[in-house]
């Protein structure tokens, strides 16, 4: 099979996976209507949701292809977090990135200092200790791109929370990044409910 035709097949599958992942994120309340972004790296290109895209209602026109290594004209269409995704791909071996706004996990960043440690069994098995970083400009900034990508690179973690902003998850596959995003919110909800209940029930 000619390489060009084979690549087209891979790209079609990537787009399908991004659309599916957006639907799951929205149905699980991990993003609100116009929030969050998804990307997949394939060879030297990034396939990323467009700026303002509604993740629950994506189609093939909601996704744009941009280079990993340099800026392009197509950058204007891409999510405002492209700078962050691009820097993560440059510094790590990630093949997929999901940025979401999970309510419980994000809420915990207002109270926890530099890490979230799940207390449930699933959290211990799949999520582990999650670094929490704080930046002055947390949305699509060079500051966030630099600090977040360095955190992924230096810690080897797959999940990082950004204070008062949301979660970033990287993985070899988009499906596993989706799983970890969902796991994170489940663990954060358990943590919040247990801690709240303890404060209410224990004098």
């Amino acid at each position: 099979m000619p390489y060009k035709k084979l690549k087209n097949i891979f790209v079609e599958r990537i787009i399908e996976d991004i659309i599916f992942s957006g639907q799951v994120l929205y149905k699980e309340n991990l993003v609100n209507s116009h929030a969050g972004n998804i990307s997949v790296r394939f060879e030297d290109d990034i396939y990323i949701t467009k700026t303002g895209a509604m993740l629950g209602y994506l189609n093939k026109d909601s996704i744009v292809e941009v280079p990993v290594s340099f800026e392009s004209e197509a950058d204007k269409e891409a999510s405002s977090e492209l700078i962050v995704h691009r820097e993560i791909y440059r510094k790590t071996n990630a093949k997929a990135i999901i940025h979401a706004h999970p309510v419980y996990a994000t809420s915990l960043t207002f109270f926890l200092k530099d890490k979230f440690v799940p207390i449930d069994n699933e959290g211990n098995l799949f999520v582990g200790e999650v670094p929490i970083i704080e930046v002055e400009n947390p949305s699509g900034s060079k500051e966030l791109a630099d600090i977040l990508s360095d955190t992924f690179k230096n810690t080897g973690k797959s999940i990082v929370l950004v204070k008062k902003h949301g979660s970033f998850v990287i993985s070899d596959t988009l499906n596993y990044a989706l799983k970890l995003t969902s796991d994170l919110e489940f663990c954060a909800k358990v943590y919040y409910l247990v801690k709240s209940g303890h404060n209410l029930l224990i004098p």
Side-chain angles (χ1 to χ4, degrees):
M1 182 180 294
Y3 171 74
K4 186 174 181 180
K5 187 174 182 180
L6 187 62
K7 180 178 179 179
N8 287 341
I9 292 172
F10 277 113
V11 170
E12 286 176 9
R13 179 60 185 271
I14 287 168
I15 291 172
E16 289 173 1
D17 288 347
I18 291 174
I19 291 170
F20 173 76
S21 297
Q23 292 170 346
V24 174
L25 289 169
Y26 184 66
K27 286 177 182 177
E28 291 200 4
N29 295 315
L30 297 169
V31 294
N32 46 312
S33 66
H34 291 73
N37 31 80
I38 305 169
S39 74
V40 173
R41 177 176 183 169
F42 180 65
E43 296 181 337
D44 295 324
D45 293 311
I46 301 169
Y47 296 85
I48 187 168
T49 48
K50 290 183 177 180
T51 183
M54 300 175 70
L55 295 194
Y57 302 93
L58 297 173
N59 57 52
K60 64 180 182 179
D61 295 325
S62 309
I63 298 152
V64 63
E65 176 187 350
V66 297
V68 173
S69 302
F70 55 90
E71 296 180 0
S72 71
E73 188 66 22
D75 287 12
K76 292 186 292 187
E77 294 185 81
S79 164
S80 60
E81 300 279 12
L82 171 61
I83 185 176
V84 180
H85 289 243
R86 186 175 267 146
E87 197 63 20
I88 292 170
Y89 286 127
R90 286 172 176 169
K91 291 183 182 175
T92 73
N93 293 321
K95 298 297 182 186
I97 301 170
I98 291 178
H99 168 46
H101 294 174
V103 173
Y104 282 91
T106 304
S107 296
L108 291 181
T109 69
F110 284 77
F111 309 103
L112 300 176
K113 187 176 180 182
D114 56 6
K115 62 185 176 182
F116 163 53
V117 182
I119 58 176
D120 64 294
N121 185 59
E122 184 174 14
N124 289 327
L125 286 173
F126 299 111
V127 175
E129 184 177 292
V130 179
I132 299 174
I133 64 170
E134 185 170 13
V135 295
E136 187 174 345
N137 300 300
S139 297
S141 67
K142 186 178 187 304
E143 179 191 16
L144 177 60
D146 290 340
I147 294 176
L148 182 59
S149 59
D150 284 342
T151 302
F152 279 122
K153 179 182 178 181
N154 296 333
T155 65
K157 297 290 187 179
S158 297
I159 308 171
V160 176
L161 282 165
V162 180
K163 257 188 187 298
K164 304 176 183 179
H165 184 47
S167 62
F168 282 84
V169 177
I170 66 172
S171 182
D172 290 336
T173 68
L174 187 54
N175 187 260
Y176 200 72
L178 179 61
K179 169 185 161 43
L180 289 180
T181 303
S182 180
D183 287 347
L184 171 67
E185 179 66 345
F186 174 84
C187 298
K189 187 173 183 178
V190 169
Y191 184 98
Y192 178 86
L193 293 175
V194 170
K195 295 294 184 180
S196 298
H198 184 275
N199 290 337
L200 290 172
L201 299 174
I202 306 299

